[in-house]
Amino acid sequence: MSLWRNKEIKRFAVAVSVLSTVLAIIGFSSSGDAGILVLITAFLLCGAFFAFTAYRYKQIRKLSDYLRRICSGEHFLDIRDNVEGELSILKNEIYKVTLMLSEYNKKLQQEKLRLSEHMADISHQLKTPITSMMVMVDLLGNEDLPPEKRREFTARISSQLKRIEWLVSSLLKMARLDAGVVKMKRERVKVRTLIENALKPLLIPMEVKGITCTVTGQDETLTCDLQWTTEAIINILKNCIEHSPENGKIEIAAQDNPLYFEIRISDNGPGISKEDLPHIFTRFYRGKNASPDSVGIGLAMAKSIIKEQNGDITVESREGRGTTFFIRLYKAVV
């Protein structure tokens, strides 16, 4: 009988037998009826105890069977019951854990699918510049190639290598953000410092296109991670520069209020079409006005960085009337 494989049952049986024997001896030493009464009482109590114990162990065996089935993949088994008692509480708790594991498993599968899609996107983005470089390397192997062509191909290879370096660096940053290993600092930062840091690497492209930039509210102070927020603003400014016309204009305005700190970045470019507007923060999305060199990760990374700091980025745009990005860093958890 499976009940007897439990050590505590065997020990209890031995203890009850010894105790019943002692009590029966004492009872028979008094009178025969007393001894028989002791034996009957001990027998009935032991029988009732073993009957209830067998029932409890049967319920525990059912729970074990449920757990085995859940481990084999049946995550939707409903073992709840509404009867009062510790056993029912245990069943309900097991059911909750099962649901939690099921949700975790779903998320894991979604993460695997997303990782697979990202790998496919990355492979696609790297394939074009690598193929281009291989062709140019073959051409450079021609000893009769004119010197000016040789210089041109070398410059193109250098440009493609820089693009690959930027792409890999950006993807690594996004992977760190997705994995949640980036710990954002909360430091008091002057808007002037933040904007100057963001504009420094973009001054030459702005000068080449003759773009002017005006900044207002730069004496304000906000709480953020200076390095990562600078990265987010650089990516938004790059987008604005890319879509601004020759001699265009970019405006940056900072404003503080009791709910959030807002940085507004506007350009006077051609604007974003209604079809592209809902997708511009989607990773690897390229709108119809995207430049040939665009890979569609700058704005996605900016959004991830700001969201990681309890903030959000929204955009307003009308075709022919420019685009405005709103960066909001909330002062309380929303």
Side-chain angles (χ1 to χ4, degrees):
M1 191 174 178
S2 59
L3 189 65
W4 293 103
R5 67 186 177 189
N6 300 291
K7 287 183 180 177
E8 64 273 17
I9 299 297
K10 293 177 183 174
R11 289 171 184 164
F12 177 79
V14 171
V16 168
S17 299
V18 171
L19 188 60
S20 299
T21 303
V22 172
L23 290 174
I25 292 171
I26 295 172
F28 279 114
S29 64
S30 300
S31 68
D33 292 341
I36 292 171
L37 185 61
V38 168
L39 285 177
I40 292 172
T41 303
F43 178 77
L44 290 176
L45 288 175
C46 288
F49 172 79
F50 282 115
F52 282 110
T53 303
Y55 173 77
R56 286 202 305 274
Y57 276 71
K58 184 180 176 183
Q59 296 301 313
I60 293 171
R61 277 200 303 278
K62 282 184 180 178
L63 282 177
S64 299
D65 290 338
Y66 280 131
L67 289 174
R68 271 195 291 273
R69 291 170 66 184
I70 288 167
C71 289
S72 64
E74 295 183 59
H75 295 144
F76 300 101
L77 281 176
D78 192 348
I79 61 174
R80 291 173 295 174
D81 65 35
N82 296 320
V83 180
E84 289 187 2
E86 297 301 325
L87 206 55
S88 293
I89 292 171
L90 179 60
K91 285 180 180 179
N92 292 332
E93 292 301 321
I94 289 175
Y95 180 71
K96 288 178 191 173
V97 172
T98 304
L99 281 184
M100 191 175 68
L101 289 175
S102 176
E103 289 298 320
Y104 178 75
N105 193 44
K106 273 186 192 173
K107 285 182 183 175
L108 199 60
Q109 293 299 325
Q110 288 170 354
E111 286 294 323
K112 284 182 179 177
L113 181 62
R114 199 169 68 169
L115 181 62
S116 170
E117 290 173 351
H118 288 174
M119 292 298 290
D121 288 333
I122 293 165
S123 301
H124 177 73
Q125 297 297 338
L126 291 176
K127 187 178 176 183
T128 304
I130 289 173
T131 304
S132 173
M133 284 192 298
M134 289 175 69
V135 171
M136 285 186 280
V137 166
D138 285 342
L139 291 172
L140 285 172
N142 183 0
E143 294 182 355
D144 298 327
L145 191 69
E148 62 272 16
K149 280 289 178 187
R150 194 176 293 278
R151 284 194 292 272
E152 179 188 338
F153 290 154
T154 304
R156 286 189 188 179
I157 290 174
S158 175
S159 171
Q160 295 290 0
L161 284 172
K162 287 178 182 172
R163 187 183 176 204
I164 291 175
E165 183 187 22
W166 172 82
L167 182 61
V168 171
S169 169
S170 299
L171 290 171
L172 282 174
K173 289 173 185 171
M174 291 188 73
R176 290 178 64 200
L177 287 168
D178 288 347
V181 297
V182 175
K183 300 297 179 191
M184 295 287 176
K185 297 176 187 171
R186 289 186 60 80
E187 49 192 333
R188 297 294 290 168
V189 174
K190 279 276 187 189
V191 171
R192 183 191 301 276
T193 306
L194 181 65
I195 300 302
E196 283 178 354
N197 288 355
L199 283 173
K200 270 180 195 172
L202 304 173
L203 291 177
I204 292 176
M206 288 172 67
E207 188 178 341
V208 169
K209 291 187 77 173
I211 295 172
T212 57
C213 180
T214 57
V215 183
T216 56
Q218 53 189 335
D219 292 330
E220 299 279 359
T221 303
L222 74 159
T223 302
C224 67
D225 184 299
L226 177 60
Q227 182 186 349
W228 281 101
T229 310
T230 301
E231 181 82 33
I233 293 176
I234 286 174
N235 282 299
I236 292 174
L237 286 172
K238 275 182 182 175
N239 185 277
C240 292
I241 293 168
E242 184 182 314
H243 293 94
S244 289
E246 296 286 337
N247 302 315
K249 189 171 63 175
I250 292 176
E251 295 176 351
I252 303 173
Q255 187 178 16
D256 194 12
N257 69 49
L259 294 178
Y260 52 78
F261 192 95
E262 181 181 87
I263 298 174
R264 194 169 63 249
I265 303 174
S266 307
D267 66 52
N268 63 339
I272 304 169
S273 68
K274 285 184 179 177
E275 295 79 19
D276 291 334
L277 202 56
H279 307 291
I280 62 164
F281 294 112
T282 303
R283 202 170 298 181
F284 298 115
Y285 181 80
R286 297 180 72 251
K288 64 182 182 183
N289 294 326
S291 72
D293 290 335
S294 172
V295 291
I297 61 172
L299 292 181
M301 182 159 68
K303 182 118 180 166
S304 297
I305 291 169
I306 298 302
K307 285 189 78 173
E308 198 67 26
Q309 299 183 79
N310 188 35
D312 197 13
I313 302 178
T314 55
V315 61
E316 289 180 2
S317 183
R318 291 180 66 182
E319 287 187 88
R321 296 192 179 183
T323 302
T324 302
F325 291 90
F326 299 88
I327 301 172
R328 287 175 182 167
L329 293 165
Y330 294 97
K331 295 177 180 177
V333 177
V334 294

